[in-house]
Amino acid sequence: RSSGSYVTEYPLLHHDNSQERMWGWMAADVMYIPGSSGSLVMFENKVGSDFHYDADPATSQLARQLEYLSDVRKRYERAVLILLTGREFVEANWYKTELAEALNYGSRSTMIGGFLVFWEDVFRAKRAG
């Protein structure tokens, strides 16, 4: 049983001007904030829309979200970015490449978990037990 909270449109708070330029005006679609311990999870929902910012894996929307998670990672056991989308978008070459490039830029792949989850699988999921 989880002791955390889910927050929609969670603002990515910043500490200085550099962070403000990177993610200061962004909000996570949904953020799971664990209670005393656990994984911080950011959910990004993309269903047919483009990413914001440019396509550069260093400064794209996903890159900015990963930078935020990297910054707050030290407070949690783990930080994870979950990209939720429809299977048809990935089959049409949307989103998957952008997520992989953002995760693999620099040392992000060793610091943050990144997952691509299909809405179809969420809708088919059943509660265990």
Side-chain angles (χ1 to χ4, degrees):
R1 182 164 159 95
S2 171
S3 63
S5 300
Y6 291 90
V7 182
T8 60
E9 293 302 315
Y10 181 84
L12 305 186
L13 304 174
H14 54 277
H15 301 290
D16 58 37
N17 289 338
S18 174
Q19 289 179 345
E20 182 180 23
R21 283 188 300 278
M22 181 57 92
W23 65 73
W25 297 100
M26 298 179 75
D29 289 335
V30 177
M31 183 75 82
Y32 172 74
I33 304 167
S36 59
S37 65
S39 296
L40 177 71
V41 182
M42 179 185 296
F43 296 87
E44 176 61 32
N45 177 42
K46 285 294 179 194
V47 185
S49 63
D50 291 330
F51 287 109
H52 302 289
Y53 307 100
D54 54 39
D56 184 339
T59 57
S60 68
Q61 176 183 344
L62 294 173
R64 292 164 189 256
Q65 291 167 322
L66 290 166
E67 286 298 321
Y68 174 81
L69 289 172
S70 293
D71 184 67
V72 298
R73 159 80 175 87
K74 58 190 165 275
R75 297 183 213 141
Y76 302 96
E77 291 175 17
R78 188 170 185 213
V80 174
L81 174 64
I82 295 178
L83 178 57
L84 283 159
T85 191
R87 185 178 309 275
E88 68 185 83
F89 296 109
V90 173
E91 289 171 355
N93 292 323
W94 286 43
Y95 308 135
K96 183 178 180 179
T97 301
E98 292 90 340
L99 177 60
E101 288 176 351
L103 280 167
N104 291 322
Y105 180 82
S107 62
R108 289 184 191 140
S109 61
T110 60
M111 298 185 329
I112 306 298
F115 300 93
L116 185 61
V117 176
F118 298 127
W119 274 114
E120 293 87 345
D121 294 333
V122 172
F123 296 140
R124 280 194 296 269
K126 297 179 183 174
R127 184 179 175 153

